[in-house]
Every structure is written in structure tokens, then in C-alpha cells.
Amino acid sequence: QVQLVESGGGFVQAGGSLRLSCAASGSIFSRNVMGWYRQAPGKQRELVAACTSWGSTNYADSVKGRFTISRDNAKNTVYLQMNSLKPEDTAVYYCNVDWVDDTERYRNYWGQGTQVTVSS
């Protein structure tokens, strides 16, 4: 049983900053990937940034240089620092964790999402 709870979304002016947090609880495999995805109206859910438990990160080209993902493995918490926000960043942001366990079974869990709205 795994639960992910996002927080930190809200309204911000273009050029502003916002910090998202996602706290994961439950039985989570130590080797995992936590990430942030977003979905704007009428669009597919897309990867924003991901961070592995072993230290690698990955960013969408559209947010490179503006967003920073980080995590606290001890707390199973992932953060997304969003700077220089643009109206096109407006979306519901979802936290995700996934892993392959010792029996090679894939697990994937999602949070409920937090709304980020960037005004012009």
C-alpha cells in the first residue's frame, strides 16, 4: 500500500517561482524512481523531471535550466523547484514513484495531483 501526496501548487505570475513537494508513504522498494509529471487540458501527461534513488536525474527539454528535482531518500520525499515559470507550465502536476521489485514485478503509483497556474 503506497500513497503519494503532493503539495505546493498554486497561482503565480509569469517569471515567478513555486516549490512542489511529494511525500510518499507505505512499502516502497529502496531502488526506485520518483518523478514529476504534468498534464495540461487537452494534452497527454508528460514527464517533467525524474530522480532515481541512486542519484541520476532527467528533465524534459522544456524545463531544463528552470526546474530542479531533488529527493530525500530517508523521507521518501521528492521536490520540484520551479523557477522562471511560464504560462505554458500551467498544468496539474502529478508525483510518481515506480520500481521493479526482487521478483521482477513492476510497481507504479501516482499522487492525486496539484494544480499549478501561471498567469501572463
Side-chain angles (χ1 to χ4, degrees), residues 8 24 49 65 75 87:
K75 297 180 179 179

Side-chain angles (χ1 to χ4, degrees), residues 37-40 43-47 92 94-95 110-111:
Y37 294 72
R38 67 187 181 188
Q39 188 166 25
K43 291 190 174 183
Q44 294 266 80
R45 187 173 298 186
E46 64 174 350
L47 174 70
V92 178
Y94 297 90
C95 180
W110 294 89

Side-chain angles (χ1 to χ4, degrees), residues 3 7 9 23 25 40 45 50 54-55 59 78 82 84-85 90 98-99:
Q3 185 176 17
S7 62
S25 61
R45 187 173 298 186
W54 57 94
Y59 295 92
V78 64
M82 304 184 293
S84 301
L85 283 161
T90 296
D98 64 69
W99 68 85

